[in-house]
Amino acid sequence: MANHVKIALILTVVMVIIGVILAGVYLMTYAPIAKADLNAKFEAIKFVLTDQTTGQLLVSQSQIPETMAELNAKIWKSNSSGVLYSNTKLPGYVLSPAYLFKGKDGSNIYVLTGYGIGFGGRVVTVASFIQQSDGKFFENAIDVIDFATETPGLGAKINDPDVRSRFFDIPNSGFKDGIRVNKDADLFPLPSNYKSEIPTYKKEGIVVTSDVMTGATITPRSVANTLNAMYEFLEKEAK
């Protein structure tokens, strides 16, 4: 009996020591990880608030957040549940909070974060939408900030510049019936002149990805679903 008690005490001490070590590691790594995540978000917001053709900011430099307080000052909509809108049919989700910036031309520019379901899990996207004089929305640019579970060389290519740019500059007309990757729009194989037609395809809601993400459809589809959910959310909330 004494031996059993002794073993139990030893195991208890070992577990306490392990718990203390794990807690210490967590405390040591939490702050740097949280800071890195926040900086990544700042960088993504700045990226989508940039005109990708001219390289110029769409807003004044003073509006680009560099602290959490400055970012919180730009909150437009928030929800304690963490989700502002969901289209489970696609599926696509808009996360809380959503931000509102004022463009240099006086336009409202909405910056939203959302996710769709990729091959390995969530694919999280930050995107900007410019509200035009007629009230419609023009999707300016995206940045994919979490795709760690996607397959290297396939879905993980989603944030390569050549791939990401295919989701830039999508006008209101492209969202009329929802945007789709070209394979889902029966545009495959691609015609020989497809590159010159990419701007036209975007107006029709077709995002060409099969040439730059050969063999990967689920991941770009998840980004398309996310953007569709974002657009639906703005149509409901930003009128």
Side-chain angles (χ1 to χ4, degrees), residues 20 25 33 52 61 69 99 117 120-122 131 133 139 163 173 184 200 215 230 235-236:
V20 170
V25 170
I33 291 173
Q52 300 303 314
Q61 180 65 48
Y99 304 99
I117 306 301
R122 291 186 179 188
Q131 190 165 28
S133 58
E139 184 270 307
V163 177
S173 62
D184 291 341
T200 300
M230 289 176 173
E235 286 276 279
K236 293 176 180 293

Side-chain angles (χ1 to χ4, degrees), residues 115-125 144-160 213 215-223:
Y115 73 90
I117 306 301
F119 184 78
R122 291 186 179 188
V123 177
V124 182
T125 300
V144 185
I145 60 173
D146 188 356
F147 52 96
T149 55
E150 299 307 287
T151 307
L154 292 172
K157 293 178 65 177
I158 188 63
N159 209 35
D160 285 2
M213 292 192 73
T217 302
I218 296 175
T219 308
R221 182 187 293 138
S222 73
V223 174

Side-chain angles (χ1 to χ4, degrees), residues 97-109:
Y99 304 99
L100 175 60
F101 294 81
K102 212 67 174 176
K104 291 177 180 177
D105 60 358
S107 61
N108 287 335
I109 304 177

